[in-house]
Amino acid sequence: RISRGILYKGFATGLVTLIGFATSIILARYFGKNEYGKLIIAYTVVSFFAIFTNFGIGEAIVRFLPKYISTNNKKQLNIFAFSSSILVLILSAFFSIILFKFATLIAIKIFNQPDVAYIIQIGSLYLFCYSLLYFLNSIFQGLQDWKIEALLSIFSPLVYLFGVILLAWYSGQWGGSFW
């Protein structure tokens, strides 16, 4: 079982790295250095906010979920699962909304790049989706279901790619300066 888990995790990590590398090359070539730089600025801001959407909940799940399952403590397991789910939803929504609302301020005051504001706003949707994926990933790590955990880890760069496609569609559709 351990060797299969290592195989799944290794395959998923390699695939995620390959998808990330290919996506970076394609985006850099497609958008050019200036527009790709704006995308990276927005991604950096979103990644910073991602730190606060978890508050260690994922790590707590990986630690305590197996403990509650092995001791057959269903009451504590239900309380833990419910409270961590609600907390992740609240934190993810809260920080995504904060990021969306303050995107213009961040883009202008911190980076002096007003064009980055709508990219950060779209990134706030990515932040919410990423936080939920991270939470689900932590659950399957805690359950030690490496196959599903590996599949979920592949979705993270795909969610990022979907966000970039959404950004390209949004800027092309409404005449944004990204093109």
Side-chain angles (χ1 to χ4, degrees):
R1 181 175 176 176
I2 291 174
S3 61
R4 262 193 295 182
I6 291 171
L7 182 66
Y8 290 137
K9 188 67 176 169
F11 177 74
T13 302
L15 192 58
V16 166
T17 303
L18 185 64
I19 291 170
F21 184 68
T23 301
S24 296
I25 291 172
I26 291 167
L27 293 176
R29 292 185 57 85
Y30 186 72
F31 289 128
K33 64 181 180 181
N34 290 333
E35 304 308 322
Y36 183 68
K38 292 176 186 177
L39 182 66
I40 295 302
I41 288 172
Y43 185 75
T44 303
V45 171
V46 171
S47 296
F48 175 75
F49 274 79
I51 295 168
F52 302 106
T53 61
N54 184 15
F55 277 138
I57 296 168
E59 289 76 13
I61 289 171
V62 171
R63 179 170 180 206
F64 292 112
L65 189 62
K67 178 183 173 185
Y68 294 142
I69 290 172
S70 68
T71 59
N72 206 17
N73 191 344
K74 291 189 188 282
K75 181 179 179 187
Q76 194 68 26
L77 178 63
N78 289 337
I79 292 170
F80 179 69
F82 180 75
S83 60
S84 61
S85 301
I86 295 299
L87 192 56
V88 165
L89 282 172
I90 290 170
L91 289 172
S92 299
F94 176 74
F95 284 106
S96 295
I97 290 168
I98 293 293
L99 183 60
F100 186 85
K101 292 287 188 184
F102 289 100
T104 303
L105 182 70
I106 292 169
I108 293 172
K109 296 292 184 183
I110 296 176
F111 295 107
N112 197 24
Q113 294 278 335
D115 296 348
V116 175
Y118 74 95
I119 304 170
I120 294 173
Q121 287 176 333
I122 292 173
S124 68
L125 175 64
Y126 168 75
L127 176 65
F128 184 77
C129 294
Y130 173 78
S131 299
L132 296 181
L133 277 173
Y134 184 80
F135 176 69
L136 287 173
N137 200 10
S138 298
I139 290 171
F140 287 105
Q141 277 183 353
L143 293 173
Q144 298 179 357
D145 190 337
W146 304 114
K147 187 185 289 186
I148 295 176
E149 190 270 336
L151 287 172
L152 279 174
S153 67
I154 294 170
F155 279 109
S156 182
L158 295 178
V159 168
Y160 173 71
L161 187 58
F162 175 74
V164 171
I165 291 168
L166 181 66
L167 173 67
W169 180 79
Y170 174 76
S171 61
Q173 185 76 14
W174 286 286
S177 61
F178 201 69
W179 298 110

